[in-house]
Amino acid sequence: MFLLRPLPILLATGGGYTGYRQYEKYRERELEKLGLEIPPKLAGHWEVALYKSVPTRLLSRAWGRLNQVELPHWLRRPVYSLYIWTFGVNMKEAAVEDLHHYRNLSEFFRRKLKPQARPVCGLHSVISPSDGKILNFGQVKNCEVEQVKGVTYSLESFLGPRTCTEDLPFSPATSCDSFKNQLVTREGNELYHCVIYLAPGDYHCFHSPTDWTVSHRRHFPGSLMSVNPGMARWIKELFCHNERVVLTGDWKHGFFSLTAVGATNVGSIRIYFDQDLHTNSPRYSKGSYNDFSFVTHTNKEGVPMRKGEHLGEFNLGSTIVLIFEAPKDFNFQLKAGQKIRFGEPLGSL
């Protein structure tokens, strides 16, 4: 009698699908070498649902606990050396180059840099808040924003619904265009965006990209899917699916926001001045969000941040999204796909 065995069927199906995806990636690379532009092939709803069914939040919490385990002194150099070799980490920039100094993986991931390693550009109004790769940037033309070329996410889904609370930079709107227009608080301004991907080998701290005041934090406890450029080309609205922390406020030209997007094994997003923030926590359910205001009776302004000031950190690597308003003559000093380092200019007037 023939019996169906679920495990072999699952392994065969998963292996076949993985092989197919690898072949597709190989074919795309070959076409890119020939200079041909490849239209993005988006994941179907069933593929996204299948991916989201993987317990990435639980796995990320387990990874976070593993990172906290203190390594024996003799094991630190070989473990960290393997990571350095795999991801191309430049330890000459680290404030402490001695690998034995880092008691666990978490300390190594969150290593600080030498003060002179990242000079902050003083000539441009907006600098890169982190090391990373520029995935996309430009003017927001409508309510759909590009995460990479040709693949978009909803501006309203990403930032969340507006609230009538006085200290939020949002007000009620009735349409998609109105949502974008409500973020532009000054006549003659436009809305701009920039997406920076932090790879595992990058410096994991992020800093204030300009002089601004943070008035509000919104935390979305979503999924923790990978946000590498390949996944960003494959899954539409990837950033809206994932856990993220949205900081909003104002700079000299109006609305300004910085969003830290979580990813697989990056459930831990830390904002230094926000002790009430707890990411990838079991007490939050997916699909919800929670708000916190930094404007109080004793603090009418919020949290002032200076350009280049330490703002927060990821546990491994992820994505930073800037969405802000500026005058129409704001120009980005960037190219899509370029590597950038914290302190280097993003754009200016």
Side-chain angles (χ1 to χ4, degrees):
M1 181 179 177
F2 179 73
L3 294 176
L4 288 176
R5 299 184 181 274
L7 183 58
I9 292 173
L10 182 62
L11 291 175
T13 304
Y17 180 74
T18 302
Y20 169 75
R21 288 292 304 161
Q22 291 301 318
Y23 168 73
E24 287 289 306
K25 290 179 181 179
Y26 168 77
R27 194 167 67 88
E28 289 176 3
R29 286 195 299 267
E30 292 301 309
L31 290 174
E32 285 177 350
K33 288 178 183 177
L34 297 174
L36 300 175
E37 186 170 335
I38 305 160
K41 183 174 289 186
L42 297 178
H45 292 297
W46 70 270
E47 291 173 302
V48 176
L50 182 63
Y51 191 2
K52 291 178 76 172
S53 70
V54 177
T56 51
R57 291 176 65 83
L58 180 62
L59 293 172
S60 296
R61 282 196 292 273
W63 174 252
R65 290 191 179 95
L66 179 63
N67 289 345
Q68 300 292 335
V69 175
E70 184 169 342
L71 295 175
H73 196 269
W74 60 270
L75 191 57
R76 295 175 189 177
R77 178 173 288 278
V79 169
Y80 300 145
S81 295
L82 177 62
Y83 187 92
I84 290 167
W85 177 80
T86 302
F87 295 108
V89 178
N90 183 5
M91 284 302 293
K92 293 189 180 299
E93 298 177 334
V96 180
E97 295 184 41
D98 181 14
L99 297 181
H100 293 110
H101 169 79
Y102 303 100
R103 294 172 298 176
N104 52 48
L105 285 165
S106 181
E107 286 189 1
F108 178 72
F109 294 149
R110 297 181 289 108
R111 63 193 175 277
K112 296 295 186 283
L113 299 181
K114 294 172 181 173
Q116 68 274 20
R118 297 290 186 275
V120 175
C121 176
L123 299 177
H124 293 75
S125 54
V126 184
I127 62 168
S128 176
S130 66
D131 289 9
K133 179 180 181 180
I134 302 295
L135 294 191
N136 213 303
F137 65 93
Q139 188 175 319
V140 178
K141 297 295 185 182
N142 51 44
C143 56
E144 291 287 318
V145 187
E146 285 191 321
Q147 57 194 30
V148 295
K149 186 175 181 181
V151 183
T152 63
Y153 61 92
S154 163
L155 181 64
E156 185 167 6
S157 296
F158 182 70
L159 295 177
R162 289 152 302 267
T163 308
C164 296
T165 308
E166 291 182 1
D167 54 47
L168 299 185
F170 304 120
S171 57
T174 57
S175 71
C176 181
D177 285 337
S178 295
F179 183 88
K180 190 196 83 167
N181 294 337
Q182 290 293 332
L183 300 181
V184 180
T185 61
R186 301 183 186 181
E187 187 176 351
N189 281 0
E190 296 289 348
L191 200 64
Y192 298 88
H193 77 108
C194 183
V195 182
I196 305 169
Y197 167 69
L198 289 73
D202 287 326
Y203 168 56
H204 295 348
C205 297
F206 51 94
H207 301 246
S208 176
T210 192
D211 295 334
W212 66 308
T213 301
V214 184
S215 59
H216 178 256
R217 177 257 291 161
R218 176 170 280 163
H219 172 216
F220 294 83
S223 300
L224 286 173
M225 296 186 284
S226 171
V227 293
N228 68 52
M231 296 302 295
R233 284 191 292 269
W234 188 49
I235 298 179
K236 180 179 171 66
E237 298 210 337
L238 173 62
F239 300 154
C240 297
H241 290 297
N242 271 18
E243 179 161 23
R244 58 199 181 277
V245 176
V246 182
L247 300 178
T248 54
D250 295 279
W251 71 316
K252 61 183 178 181
H253 299 297
F255 172 78
F256 198 96
S257 73
L258 180 149
T259 301
V261 183
T264 307
N265 296 333
V266 196
S268 174
I269 302 171
R270 183 182 173 195
I271 304 298
Y272 294 139
F273 58 76
D274 188 355
Q275 301 303 314
D276 294 314
L277 175 65
H278 300 285
T279 57
N280 195 16
S281 172
R283 62 178 174 167
Y284 297 130
S285 60
K286 291 182 181 180
S288 64
Y289 65 87
N290 59 89
D291 292 321
F292 185 85
S293 175
F294 299 110
V295 176
T296 64
H297 293 296
T298 56
N299 179 8
K300 301 293 186 182
E301 297 294 326
V303 181
M305 296 297 300
R306 302 292 297 173
K307 183 168 67 174
E309 186 177 351
H310 278 84
L311 181 54
E313 63 189 38
F314 292 111
N315 196 37
L316 188 58
S318 197
T319 298
I320 295 285
V321 179
L322 303 179
I323 298 174
F324 58 95
E325 70 169 300
K328 293 180 179 179
D329 56 350
F330 181 87
N331 290 308
F332 284 102
Q333 315 290 323
L334 302 171
K335 292 189 298 183
Q338 80 172 71
K339 292 287 291 181
I340 198 165
R341 304 203 302 177
F342 154 61
E344 294 179 343
L346 287 183
S348 193
L349 298 168

